[in-house]
Amino acid sequence: IKHPAPPPAPCAFDASLAHCTRQDYDSAFDALARLADDGHVPAARIALLMVEQGTRLFGRRFTASAASRRRWQALAETLSEAA
């Protein structure tokens, strides 16, 4: 009997976005911040947006250290330069 392969596990970025679709913004931010700290450019852009516009867009404030915000901004700019 042949068993089907298990479905692939979602990547960490997709999983973080799934938190957003469930409106679990705190978990989404935590996951995105970890990815951003690891150099994931799209996660850095979203995490930075959440810090800068969190109250306006998500009804809550997200915080990150100044050093993290600078790193994320630098990552976000690398994506902009590549476009």
Side-chain angles (χ1 to χ4, degrees):
I1 296 176
K2 200 173 198 184
H3 296 285
C11 75
F13 182 67
D14 290 342
S16 67
L17 296 181
H19 288 297
C20 284
T21 62
R22 293 189 301 273
Q23 298 182 351
D24 182 3
Y25 301 123
D26 293 325
S27 295
F29 180 73
D30 290 344
L32 289 164
R34 281 192 304 274
L35 289 168
D37 286 341
D38 287 341
H40 191 279
V41 175
R45 293 185 77 178
I46 297 169
L48 192 59
L49 174 74
M50 292 177 86
V51 168
E52 293 174 347
Q53 301 295 326
T55 304
R56 186 179 210 181
L57 296 175
F58 304 100
R60 62 179 43 90
R61 188 166 183 243
F62 302 96
T63 59
S65 70
S68 290
R69 291 192 313 270
R70 282 191 301 272
R71 280 193 312 273
W72 300 348
Q73 183 64 45
L75 284 170
E77 288 170 1
T78 63
L79 185 64
S80 297
E81 292 169 3

